[in-house]
Amino acid sequence: MSQSFVSDWTPPDWLIPWISRTHVVLYKLTTGKIGSHVDGMPCILLRTIGRRSGKPHTVCLSYLPDGDSMVVVGSFGGGEYNPAWYHNLQANPEVIVRDRERVFWATAETLTGEERESLWETRIASAPRYARYQERTDREIPLVRLSYSRPYTG
């Protein structure tokens, strides 16, 4: 699979959950040796608590470093709705982040206004696929800052 195919390919909506689950398993099994970078972008595992189920859910997301924080994109491949993980962190912004071997609690905050716009431009400059995702949907794709809170000791 060529680099340009991976960069230009947008998975169908039904495939996204399968890709995500597989990615999480590989990342966990290898402590990030497999899965900590996709298409040149660093990736983390984000664990949220289900807003309805109360159960933990983990997804693998690329992120944009932002000082001591990380910014993730709620694109869902340009789907009609925000991804479930985004709704979960809206209900409970305390999340667990795994960045390869480092695991910590973080606080999630949805970015707005000029700050969001500036970081959105930075994100699409380094990963143009997000601009294509935005073109596929009428919703504004959320950007979420994950700020370190404390070490995870579980």
Side-chain angles (χ1 to χ4, degrees), residues 9-81:
W9 182 67
T10 301
D13 290 349
W14 64 266
L15 188 57
I16 292 171
W18 293 98
I19 292 170
S20 180
R21 287 185 199 113
T22 303
H23 199 156
V24 167
V25 168
L26 289 171
Y27 195 116
K28 284 181 178 179
L29 285 174
T30 66
T31 320
K33 290 177 183 67
I34 297 174
S36 65
H37 282 81
V38 171
D39 198 20
M41 296 182 292
C43 296
I44 57 167
L45 296 184
L46 175 69
R47 187 171 114 187
T48 61
I49 300 299
R51 69 188 184 286
R52 289 186 284 213
S53 70
K55 295 180 180 177
H57 296 276
T58 303
V59 294
C60 189
L61 299 170
S62 64
Y63 70 91
L64 178 67
D66 182 42
D68 292 337
S69 302
M70 302 168 167
V71 175
V72 294
V73 182
S75 67
F76 200 52
E80 185 177 349
Y81 303 104

Side-chain angles (χ1 to χ4, degrees), residues 142-153:
L143 295 184
V144 177
R145 174 178 288 120
L146 304 173
S147 299
Y148 176 87
S149 176
R150 64 191 183 279
Y152 177 76
T153 57

Side-chain angles (χ1 to χ4, degrees), residues 97-134:
V97 174
R98 174 182 292 275
D99 183 10
R100 294 174 304 260
E101 295 174 352
R102 182 175 172 233
V103 183
F104 57 93
W105 286 94
T107 303
E109 170 195 12
T110 300
L111 301 176
T112 59
E114 290 179 18
E115 183 177 33
R116 184 210 176 272
E117 290 307 311
S118 174
L119 285 166
W120 178 253
E121 292 302 319
T122 301
R123 177 76 287 180
I124 63 173
S126 63
R129 80 176 65 175
Y130 290 110
R132 290 191 299 278
Y133 294 166
Q134 185 62 76

